[in-house]
Amino acid sequence: MPQLGLLHGRAWASLLGQLLRPPRAVCMGAVHSHSQVAEAVLMSQLKSHQEKSNFIIKTPKGTRDLSPQQMVVREKILDMVVSCFKRHGAKGLDTPAFELKEVLTEKYGEDSGLIYDLQDQGGELLSLRYDLTVPFARYLAMNKVKKMKRYHVGKVWRRESPTIVQGRYREFCQCDFDIAGQFDPMIPDAECLKIMCEILSGLQLGDFLVKVNDRRILDGMFAVCGVPESKFHAICSSIDKLDKMSWKDVRHEMVAKKGLAPEVADRIGDYVQCHGGVSLVEQMFQDPRLSQNKQALEGLGDLKLLFEYLTLLGIAEKISFDLSLARGLDYYTGVIYEAVLLPTPAQTEEEPLNVGSVAAGGRYDGLVGMFDPKGHKVPCVGLSIGVERIFSIVEQRMKTFGEKIRTTETQVFVASPQKNFLQERLKLIAELWDAGIKAELLYKNNPKLLTQLHYCENMGIPLVVIIGEQELKEGVVKLRSVASREEVAIKRENLVAEIQKRLSES
Amino acid sequence: MPQLGLLHGRAWASLLGQLLRPPRAVCMGAVHSHSQVAEAVLMSQLKSHQEKSNFIIKTPKGTRDLSPQQMVVREKILDMVVSCFKRHGAKGLDTPAFELKEVLTEKYGEDSGLIYDLQDQGGELLSLRYDLTVPFARYLAMNKVKKMKRYHVGKVWRRESPTIVQGRYREFCQCDFDIAGQFDPMIPDAECLKIMCEILSGLQLGDFLVKVNDRRILDGMFAVCGVPESKFHAICSSIDKLDKMSWKDVRHEMVAKKGLAPEVADRIGDYVQCHGGVSLVEQMFQDPRLSQNKQALEGLGDLKLLFEYLTLLGIAEKISFDLSLARGLDYYTGVIYEAVLLPTPAQTEEEPLNVGSVAAGGRYDGLVGMFDPKGHKVPCVGLSIGVERIFSIVEQRMKTFGEKIRTTETQVFVASPQKNFLQERLKLIAELWDAGIKAELLYKNNPKLLTQLHYCENMGIPLVVIIGEQELKEGVVKLRSVASREEVAIKRENLVAEIQKRLSES
C-alpha cells in the first residue's frame, strides 16, 4: 500500500488538520472520475484510521479540567475566601490574563524563565500573568491610584515542572488581598496576617502556623555574614528552598553553584535555624553582629510593633518569627510571611518534612514605583491564598469521609406517568421557572415514571410534581416528597406558593 | 553627549529591561575606579530619564482592567445569569485557558486566524481558547461523557480589531449553557431559547428578539440557489455579516471575492430577506425550490416542532424565523439562534441598523465526534450570553441615571475621638471580624474623628462604633448611625448582638 508510506512521510499536524475537517470536505472542488473519487475516499479512510489512533486528546501539560464535583468544592472555598476579603473592606478588581511582556520583566528573579509568552503574531509582545501582584501594581501606577484595598481572584500561569500529586499546576487560581497606600507602620501588615488566620481557621484545615520574617533582616543577615551584595538575590533564592530541601543541600547550592565562601554559608546556617515568638525578636536585637546593621534593626523594630498588634488582634500564638523564611520573589522589601499547615501526629511519621505552604505574602514598597514614569512610590502589603492546595486537601478529606456532593441545585422535578404529556409538562415547568424555582424534566416524549423518579433520587432532587389525565381533569397536580415518598394533591393555582413554602421550611 | 547617541541605537526592549532592574543592580559586579562609577551613575540617570519617558504603561491592545465599580456591575449580572443556569439544572465545569493547538484547529472557519497562539517554549504547542464550546466538546470526548447539562463562565480570547466603543474586546467573558446527549428532538433546543429569554427579560435590557434558523435550511437554500457545495462555508460566512453590512456589500463580497455567479447571489438575496413567525415556516414548506431539498425539509420540520414547544413555554412571540441568520462558526449542524436588542423609538432614528447581538447559540451534533478516536457522536445544543455587551449597556444606563455604586460592603467602622486609642480600636475590630461583621478602621495611630466620620459617609458605611476614654471606663461603646447621626451607648458585651440586630433590620 504505497499510500500508507506516503502518509507516514507527512507532518502530523497537517494530517490532524485533515482529520478534523468535516467529512464533506473530501468531495469538494473539481469533478473527479469515478476511480479518482473512490481513491480519495479510500485515502481518507486510511488517513482517518491512522490519525485517530495517533491523536491523544488531553489537556495541556500541568493543566486540568475541574469536574462538577470539583467545581462545587471550589465554589464553596472561594465564597468563603472572598467573603473574608469583603469583611475587611476590600474592593474587587480584574486585570487581563496577559500583560505586555515588559510589564513582567525583571520582577520574578530566578523564576522569570517560567513565564508563558504569547507568540508574536504581529503587534505587541505579550506574556500570561505570573501572579496577581504585578498586574495590581501596574494598575495602580497606570491609574495614579495612591490608596486602595482590593481583592482579586483569578488564574495565573507558570511553566513549572508539574508535580500534580502535591496540587501544583501550571495553571492555578490565586486569591489575593492587598493594601496600597502610605499608612502608619505595621497596621495594614497586621490586618493581612489576621485575614490569613481567619481564612485558614474558617476552612478548618487543621492546625497551622504563619512564619514571619523581613527582607531587611535577611539583607542585614547576609551583610553581617559576609555575603557580597551582588549575591543577595541569588542567596535569598537558595534560602527560599529550605522548605523543600535540607540545609545541607541548600548550603551545597550556595557554595558550589553560587560561589559563596563555605564559612559565610555556615554563618548563615546558624541564623536560619532560629525561629520563635516575639522573644526571638528581642534576642536578635541583642545579637552582636545583627545589631550592628541598620537595615536589620529597622526590620526588627517593625517586627516588634507587628507582634504587639498581632496580640491585640488575638493571633500572636499562630505567628512564628523564622529567619529561614525568604520568599523567592524579587519585589518584596519589608515584612514577609508564609502559612503552613502543621502535620497531624499521624502525618508526622509518614512525611516529617514539608506539609506545604497554603498562603503567603509580604510588603513590596518599590513595585508600583517601577511602573511610574517619575518613580513615585506607593507602598503595598498583601497576601495570596494558595487555593489549589486547599482544594486538594478538602477534596481528599471528602473522599476519605465518603461525603456525597450534589452538583446541581434542582428543587423540583416535573413528571408524568402517562404518554403524550410532554405538552403539559412543558407548560408546568415554564410556570415554575418563571417563578424562580429550580426545575428539571426529562427530554423525552414518553419517559417511564420509574425512570423519572430514579433520576430524582440519583440527583438528590427533593420534590416531584406529577401530572396525569386525572389531575388535569381535576385541575390539580400531585406534589411528592422524594425522601418520604408522600404525595398530596394540590390545586394547580396554589402549586408555586406551596413549593416555595416547602423549600423555605427545609 | 556621545552616550545619548549610543542609547538611541539600542533596542527599546533591552533599555526597558534595564529600567525595570532594581537600582542596586547598577553597582553590582567588579570594583570600578571612582570615575568609572561616576560615569556609570550618569549613564544610568540619562538612560533612566529617556527610558521612562518612552515607557507607556498600558494594558495590551483590546484588553482592559475592570475597576471596582465595573466589578460590582459585572458580579450582579453574572450572579443573575448563573442563577438562571442553575435554575435549569446545570452543573459547573471549568477548563484551562489554553488548549493543545490541534484541539482548536479547523473549528472556526474564516475566524481561525484570530486565535492567540502561545510561543513555542519547548513542549506542546498551545493556543488560548477561542470559545467555551470547543473545550466542552473536548471534555466530553476525553471523559467519554454521553450526557451532561453544564454551564461555564470564563474568559475567551480573540485577536479581533477591537472597536472598544461597541463593547468588543480581545479578551472577554462568556457565559455558556449547553445540553449534551441523545434526546427527543427539539426539547433541549427549546429550553435553550427559554433560558435566553429568561436572562434577557430578567436583566431588563429593553425589548429583544431572538432570530432562529437552521444550518440544514441554509445548506438547502444554498443548494437550490445553485451554490457549489465547496463554497457553502464561505458563503455562509458572508451571510453571517448581514447584521453588520448591507445586502449590497455582502452580495459584492460573494460575487467579487468568493466567485459566486451574480444570479445565484440574487436568488439567495430573495430568501435572506424573509423573516417571520411559524407561518413563515409553513410558507417555506410550500416553497417550490426549497421543498425539493431533503436537508431543508428536515430543518423546517424541526423548526415547526420547536415553535410548538416555544408556544408552550410562553416565548413564541419573542422568536423570529430569519433566513438571513447564518452564525459564522463551522461547527453548527442544526438549529441556530441569536438574540438582538430592539432599538427604542429614539435609537431607531439615530442608528437604524445594528443594535448588536447579546446572546447566541445552536446545535452542534458533530463536534464531540471530531475528538473521539472512534468518531462516536454526542449531539449538543447550547447558548452563550454576550455579557460584555450587556455590561456596557448596564454601565451606560447607570451613568445616565447617575446611580451611585458602593464598591465595598463594610457595615461598621471603628473610630475613636482620642489619641493613643489604636490598641483599643484593634481589639474592638478583631471582635467584630471574629463575629463575621464587615468592619474597617483607618490605618493611622491618631486620626481625627471628623476624618473618620467623613470616610464613613464617602464609603456609604452605615454604622460607626466609637470608643474613647469615657466609654472605656464605663465598659460601653457608642453606636452611631451615619445616616441619622443618632448615637446610643451600648454595653461592650452586647455590641455584636446589637449590630447584628440592626443589620438584619435594615
Side-chain angles (χ1 to χ4, degrees):
Chain A
M1 281 205 225
Q3 292 93 335
L4 215 61
L6 187 76
L7 275 173
H8 275 299
R10 290 200 185 175
W12 185 71
S14 125
L15 285 181
L16 197 77
Q18 305 214 17
L19 156 66
L20 296 176
R21 199 171 296 151
R24 76 157 76 103
V26 172
C27 299
M28 279 180 182
V31 177
H32 297 279
S33 74
H34 182 73
S35 71
Q36 273 179 318
V37 172
E39 195 183 48
V41 170
L42 179 67
M43 278 285 290
S44 147
Q45 283 167 348
L46 282 170
K47 270 183 218 167
S48 201
H49 178 77
Q50 187 175 4
E51 288 150 15
K52 294 208 176 184
S53 55
N54 275 337
F55 183 47
I56 295 161
I57 186 99
K58 62 187 279 294
T59 60
K61 188 178 172 189
T63 69
R64 59 167 174 172
D65 300 314
L66 291 181
S67 71
Q69 282 79 7
Q70 291 171 317
M71 285 297 282
V72 172
V73 174
R74 188 167 99 143
E75 227 176 271
K76 279 193 187 158
I77 293 171
L78 292 184
D79 278 356
M80 200 272 177
V81 169
V82 168
S83 82
C84 177
F85 291 163
K86 287 184 175 174
R87 187 158 65 239
H88 288 263
K91 303 173 179 186
L93 182 70
D94 189 53
T95 68
F98 43 72
E99 295 278 345
L100 297 183
K101 187 173 162 62
E102 304 94 69
V103 166
L104 305 191
T105 307
E106 307 261 343
K107 304 295 186 306
Y108 300 109
E110 291 183 0
D111 291 341
S112 294
L114 305 183
I115 294 172
Y116 277 98
D117 292 326
L118 269 70
Q119 197 177 306
D120 182 1
Q121 292 169 287
E124 302 160 335
L125 294 179
L126 306 171
S127 302
L128 294 184
R129 67 185 173 206
Y130 185 84
D131 64 10
L132 303 176
T133 311
V134 169
F136 175 54
R138 192 264 307 144
Y139 173 87
L140 294 174
M142 187 175 132
N143 297 285
K144 304 204 188 319
V145 176
K146 298 287 174 220
K147 210 186 263 189
M148 185 177 197
K149 192 154 57 174
R150 83 88 179 80
Y151 75 91
H152 188 176
V153 173
K155 287 179 174 179
V156 301
W157 296 270
R158 301 181 182 180
R159 295 181 59 252
E160 288 183 274
S161 306
T163 42
I164 306 289
V165 280
Q166 284 196 311
R168 285 184 86 129
Y169 292 92
R170 289 184 163 198
E171 170 182 82
F172 56 98
C173 179
Q174 283 199 332
C175 300
D176 279 27
F177 173 100
D178 290 82
I179 301 170
Q182 185 68 58
F183 300 110
D184 282 340
M186 292 298 112
I187 314 179
D189 313 60
E191 183 169 6
C192 287
L193 287 163
K194 174 73 177 159
I195 289 173
M196 269 171 52
C197 291
E198 282 181 30
I199 289 172
L200 295 179
S201 306
L203 290 172
Q204 296 177 294
L205 301 171
D207 211 5
F208 64 90
L209 186 76
V210 185
K211 299 177 188 175
V212 172
N213 198 1
D214 192 295
R215 266 286 163 88
R216 292 164 296 176
I217 299 175
L218 275 171
D219 281 356
M221 177 182 89
F222 293 147
V224 302
C225 290
V227 179
E229 205 179 331
S230 61
K231 290 201 163 79
F232 277 16
H233 277 242
I235 297 305
C236 194
S237 292
S238 297
I239 296 293
D240 185 44
K241 295 173 187 160
L242 272 174
D243 58 341
K244 302 179 203 92
M245 284 160 63
S246 68
W247 164 247
K248 199 178 144 226
D249 292 341
V250 169
R251 184 184 181 282
H252 177 77
E253 177 180 300
M254 296 196 300
V255 174
K257 290 197 193 149
K258 299 188 172 170
L260 202 65
E263 63 275 16
V264 173
D266 291 333
R267 269 176 239 143
I268 295 175
D270 291 340
Y271 281 112
V272 296
Q273 282 162 39
C274 298
H275 48 90
V278 67
S279 62
L280 181 62
V281 181
E282 296 296 348
Q283 188 187 320
M284 286 297 144
F285 265 120
Q286 310 304 326
D287 184 84
R289 284 180 298 191
L290 217 50
S291 59
Q292 301 307 304
N293 183 283
K294 192 170 159 281
Q295 271 201 296
L297 286 177
E298 277 178 26
L300 288 167
D302 274 352
L303 274 197
K304 197 179 159 190
L305 186 59
L306 179 66
F307 266 101
E308 191 188 309
Y309 295 158
L310 298 177
T311 306
L312 293 164
L313 295 176
I315 53 165
E317 80 285 359
K318 292 284 182 199
I319 317 291
S320 164
F321 173 33
D322 190 323
L323 281 149
S324 76
L325 179 72
R327 308 281 304 127
L329 302 174
D330 263 11
Y331 49 66
Y332 290 119
T333 55
V335 62
I336 48 178
Y337 32 80
E338 188 168 290
V340 291
L341 297 182
L342 296 177
T344 59
Q347 285 171 327
T348 317
E349 282 168 32
E350 287 164 33
E351 41 166 342
L353 252 173
N354 168 39
V355 196
S357 143
V358 286
R363 177 162 283 284
Y364 49 102
D365 288 348
L367 190 57
V368 178
M370 288 167 82
F371 293 114
D372 188 276
K374 288 174 183 161
H376 287 311
K377 286 191 176 183
V378 179
C380 294
V381 63
L383 65 99
S384 185
I385 305 290
V387 275
E388 300 290 341
R389 179 104 183 89
I390 295 173
F391 296 156
S392 324
I393 294 167
V394 174
E395 258 187 85
Q396 192 52 51
R397 195 169 55 192
M398 292 179 94
K399 263 184 209 159
T400 309
F401 292 97
E403 283 182 54
K404 214 193 158 187
I405 305 169
R406 264 199 86 180
T407 54
T408 59
E409 299 178 8
T410 309
Q411 299 160 325
V412 181
F413 187 87
V414 176
S416 177
Q418 270 147 340
K419 285 198 174 177
N420 303 317
F421 258 72
L422 176 61
Q423 295 205 345
E424 289 304 323
R425 280 153 60 215
L426 286 174
K427 264 159 64 182
L428 193 48
I429 202 166
E431 268 179 55
L432 301 183
W433 286 333
D434 292 343
I437 294 166
K438 296 169 186 162
E440 282 186 88
L441 50 65
L442 290 193
Y443 302 127
K444 267 178 94 74
N445 288 310
N446 301 309
K448 289 186 184 138
L449 184 62
L450 207 62
T451 314
Q452 298 173 77
L453 295 179
H454 275 166
Y455 183 83
C456 297
E457 278 176 18
N458 287 337
M459 299 300 289
I461 302 172
L463 293 174
V464 190
V465 178
I466 301 170
I467 186 157
E469 254 174 65
Q470 190 64 24
E471 287 81 13
L472 194 61
K473 213 181 292 171
E474 296 172 9
V476 299
V477 292
K478 275 194 206 138
L479 186 60
R480 177 188 171 107
S481 153
V482 174
S484 70
R485 303 189 177 187
E486 277 175 90
E487 286 182 9
V488 286
I490 289 172
K491 275 196 188 160
R492 179 71 178 261
E493 61 266 33
N494 298 339
L495 177 63
V496 165
E498 175 64 24
I499 290 173
Q500 280 163 342
K501 187 171 149 270
R502 292 237 199 155
L503 292 172
S504 69
E505 286 164 1
S506 64
Chain B
M1 278 205 226
Q3 293 92 336
L4 216 59
L6 188 73
L7 275 172
H8 276 297
R10 289 198 186 179
W12 184 70
S14 122
L15 286 180
L16 198 78
Q18 304 215 18
L19 154 67
L20 296 176
R21 199 171 294 153
R24 74 158 78 105
V26 172
C27 300
M28 278 181 182
V31 179
H32 298 277
S33 75
H34 181 73
S35 71
Q36 275 178 315
V37 172
E39 196 182 45
V41 170
L42 179 66
M43 277 285 290
S44 147
Q45 283 167 347
L46 281 170
K47 270 184 221 171
S48 202
H49 178 76
Q50 188 175 2
E51 288 150 15
K52 293 208 178 185
S53 53
N54 276 337
F55 184 47
I56 295 161
I57 187 100
K58 63 187 280 295
T59 59
K61 188 178 171 190
T63 68
R64 59 170 174 172
D65 300 315
L66 291 182
S67 71
Q69 282 79 6
Q70 292 171 316
M71 285 297 283
V72 172
V73 174
R74 187 165 101 141
E75 227 176 272
K76 279 192 187 158
I77 293 172
L78 292 183
D79 278 356
M80 200 274 179
V81 169
V82 168
S83 81
C84 178
F85 291 162
K86 287 184 174 173
R87 189 158 64 239
H88 289 263
K91 304 173 178 186
L93 182 72
D94 190 52
T95 68
F98 43 72
E99 295 279 345
L100 297 183
K101 188 173 163 60
E102 304 95 69
V103 167
L104 305 192
T105 307
E106 307 261 341
K107 303 297 185 306
Y108 301 108
E110 290 184 359
D111 292 342
S112 294
L114 306 182
I115 294 172
Y116 277 98
D117 292 326
L118 268 71
Q119 198 178 305
D120 181 2
Q121 292 171 289
E124 301 160 335
L125 294 179
L126 306 170
S127 302
L128 294 184
R129 67 183 174 208
Y130 185 84
D131 63 12
L132 303 176
T133 312
V134 170
F136 175 53
R138 192 263 309 142
Y139 174 87
L140 293 175
M142 187 174 134
N143 297 285
K144 305 204 189 316
V145 176
K146 297 287 173 219
K147 211 186 264 191
M148 184 176 196
K149 193 153 58 174
R150 83 90 179 77
Y151 75 90
H152 188 177
V153 174
K155 287 180 175 179
V156 302
W157 296 271
R158 302 181 183 180
R159 294 180 60 252
E160 288 182 276
S161 307
T163 42
I164 307 288
V165 280
Q166 285 195 310
R168 285 184 86 129
Y169 292 91
R170 289 183 162 199
E171 172 182 79
F172 57 97
C173 179
Q174 282 198 332
C175 299
D176 279 26
F177 173 100
D178 291 81
I179 301 171
Q182 184 70 56
F183 301 110
D184 283 340
M186 292 297 113
I187 314 177
D189 314 60
E191 182 168 6
C192 287
L193 287 164
K194 174 72 176 159
I195 289 173
M196 270 172 48
C197 291
E198 282 181 30
I199 289 171
L200 295 179
S201 306
L203 290 171
Q204 297 178 294
L205 301 171
D207 210 6
F208 64 89
L209 188 75
V210 185
K211 299 178 190 173
V212 172
N213 198 1
D214 192 294
R215 267 288 163 86
R216 292 163 298 175
I217 299 175
L218 275 170
D219 281 357
M221 177 181 87
F222 293 149
V224 302
C225 290
V227 179
E229 206 179 330
S230 62
K231 290 202 162 83
F232 277 16
H233 277 244
I235 297 304
C236 194
S237 292
S238 297
I239 296 292
D240 186 45
K241 294 172 188 161
L242 272 173
D243 59 338
K244 302 179 203 93
M245 282 159 64
S246 69
W247 165 247
K248 201 178 142 225
D249 292 342
V250 169
R251 186 185 180 281
H252 178 78
E253 180 180 298
M254 295 196 302
V255 174
K257 290 198 194 150
K258 299 187 172 169
L260 202 65
E263 63 276 16
V264 173
D266 289 333
R267 269 176 239 142
I268 295 174
D270 291 340
Y271 281 112
V272 296
Q273 281 163 39
C274 299
H275 48 89
V278 68
S279 62
L280 181 62
V281 181
E282 297 295 350
Q283 189 187 319
M284 286 297 144
F285 264 120
Q286 311 303 326
D287 185 84
R289 283 179 300 195
L290 216 52
S291 60
Q292 301 308 306
N293 184 282
K294 191 170 160 280
Q295 272 202 295
L297 286 177
E298 277 178 25
L300 288 167
D302 274 353
L303 275 198
K304 198 179 158 189
L305 186 59
L306 179 67
F307 265 102
E308 191 187 310
Y309 295 158
L310 298 177
T311 305
L312 294 164
L313 295 176
I315 54 166
E317 79 285 359
K318 292 285 182 198
I319 317 292
S320 164
F321 173 33
D322 190 323
L323 281 150
S324 76
L325 179 71
R327 308 283 304 130
L329 302 174
D330 264 11
Y331 49 65
Y332 290 118
T333 54
V335 62
I336 49 177
Y337 32 80
E338 190 169 289
V340 292
L341 297 182
L342 295 177
T344 59
Q347 284 171 327
T348 316
E349 282 168 32
E350 286 165 34
E351 39 165 345
L353 252 173
N354 168 38
V355 196
S357 143
V358 287
R363 177 162 282 285
Y364 49 102
D365 288 347
L367 190 57
V368 179
M370 289 167 82
F371 292 114
D372 188 276
K374 289 175 184 159
H376 286 312
K377 286 192 175 182
V378 179
C380 295
V381 63
L383 65 99
S384 184
I385 304 291
V387 277
E388 299 291 341
R389 179 100 184 93
I390 295 172
F391 295 157
S392 324
I393 294 167
V394 174
E395 258 188 82
Q396 193 51 51
R397 195 169 57 192
M398 292 178 94
K399 263 183 209 159
T400 309
F401 291 96
E403 284 182 53
K404 215 192 158 187
I405 304 168
R406 265 199 86 180
T407 54
T408 59
E409 300 178 7
T410 310
Q411 301 159 323
V412 181
F413 187 88
V414 175
S416 177
Q418 270 148 339
K419 286 197 174 180
N420 304 318
F421 257 72
L422 175 61
Q423 296 204 345
E424 290 304 323
R425 280 154 58 214
L426 285 174
K427 264 160 61 183
L428 193 48
I429 201 165
E431 267 179 56
L432 300 184
W433 286 332
D434 291 343
I437 293 165
K438 296 168 186 163
E440 283 186 87
L441 48 63
L442 290 192
Y443 303 127
K444 268 180 90 78
N445 288 310
N446 301 309
K448 289 186 184 137
L449 185 61
L450 207 60
T451 314
Q452 298 173 80
L453 296 180
H454 274 166
Y455 183 83
C456 298
E457 278 175 18
N458 288 337
M459 300 300 289
I461 302 171
L463 295 173
V464 190
V465 177
I466 301 170
I467 186 158
E469 253 173 66
Q470 189 65 25
E471 287 81 14
L472 195 61
K473 214 182 289 168
E474 296 172 10
V476 297
V477 292
K478 275 194 207 140
L479 186 59
R480 177 186 169 108
S481 153
V482 174
S484 69
R485 301 188 178 187
E486 277 175 87
E487 286 182 8
V488 287
I490 289 172
K491 275 194 187 163
R492 179 70 177 261
E493 62 267 32
N494 299 339
L495 178 62
V496 165
E498 175 65 22
I499 289 174
Q500 280 162 342
K501 187 168 149 272
R502 292 237 200 157
L503 291 173
S504 69
E505 285 164 2
S506 65

